[in-house]
Amino acid sequence: MKQKLYSYILAFLQYSLMGLLLYLNVNQLKDEVSCVIFFIGLVIGIYAIFNNGLNNFRIISEIKNGATLITHGLYSYIRHPMYFSVIVMSFALIIKKINFTNLLLFGLIVVILFLKAKREEKIWSEKTPSYKEYIKNTKMMIPFLL
């Protein structure tokens, strides 16, 4: 029960911080560069949802009953393409307006995504023995880097 509450808290913080970042920087999407980067992140997120399957998708760091491990498409390069898409979209919001508040919000979002990813990976490692091999062959969130 504690772990599930932790997952809900992380999801609440993620979406609250993303909403605040968007609220403070919605005008940044009028900038062409920011808009293109945001759109790329959005497309990656939509692709990841459909590649993963709606039956596997959750906004909390818990695995649905009957969920299957997806290792093809973007998932063959990174284990958390949805989180990567959030990082890209958040980056698009701050790229033209770098200040303390934006950097703090962006940093907190990245930390929360990392914590969510670690939680999911712990669950998958316990549930699926092949997940440890999958970790060895893929990056966590950023293709070819992390």
Side-chain angles (χ1 to χ4, degrees), residues 9-21 57-60 82-83 86 109 112 116:
I9 290 170
L10 288 176
F12 173 78
L13 290 172
Q14 173 193 344
Y15 287 97
S16 297
L17 292 170
M18 287 168 44
L20 181 58
L21 189 67
F57 179 72
R58 289 192 82 172
I59 63 169
I60 61 169
M82 282 298 305
Y83 297 160
V86 171
I109 290 168
I112 289 166
K116 285 180 74 176

Side-chain angles (χ1 to χ4, degrees), residues 1-145:
M1 184 63 173
K2 257 184 173 177
Q3 292 299 322
K4 203 165 194 170
L5 178 62
Y6 176 68
S7 295
Y8 279 105
I9 290 170
L10 288 176
F12 173 78
L13 290 172
Q14 173 193 344
Y15 287 97
S16 297
L17 292 170
M18 287 168 44
L20 181 58
L21 189 67
L22 182 59
Y23 173 76
L24 294 173
N25 295 286
V26 71
N27 289 333
Q28 299 308 311
L29 294 178
K30 292 177 184 174
D31 174 75
E32 292 169 356
V33 172
S34 296
C35 192
V36 168
I37 294 170
F38 190 89
F39 183 74
I40 289 169
L42 183 63
V43 168
I44 291 168
I46 291 169
Y47 172 80
I49 288 172
F50 286 103
N51 193 236
N52 189 0
L54 292 176
N55 58 328
N56 275 352
F57 179 72
R58 289 192 82 172
I59 63 169
I60 61 169
S61 302
E62 300 293 324
I63 309 300
K64 279 187 174 181
N65 289 334
T68 55
L69 180 63
I70 306 299
T71 59
H72 59 278
L74 283 176
Y75 290 88
S76 65
Y77 299 100
I78 54 176
R79 299 183 298 276
H80 304 280
M82 282 298 305
Y83 297 160
F84 175 63
S85 76
V86 171
I87 290 170
V88 171
M89 289 186 291
S90 298
F91 179 72
L93 293 171
I94 70 165
I95 191 171
K96 294 287 184 169
K97 188 179 172 186
I98 296 177
N99 59 37
F100 178 77
T101 302
N102 282 343
L103 288 175
L104 177 64
L105 290 171
F106 180 76
L108 288 172
I109 290 168
V110 171
V111 167
I112 289 166
L113 293 174
F114 179 79
L115 293 173
K116 285 180 74 176
K118 291 306 265 182
R119 170 83 181 120
E120 288 175 23
E121 292 188 352
K122 180 178 185 269
I123 295 169
W124 274 112
S125 293
E126 292 168 355
K127 179 181 176 180
T128 308
S130 62
Y131 195 79
K132 291 177 183 167
E133 190 63 31
Y134 176 58
I135 286 174
K136 290 179 189 175
N137 297 318
T138 56
K139 298 296 182 181
M140 180 186 262
M141 275 190 265
I142 302 174
F144 312 109
L145 297 175

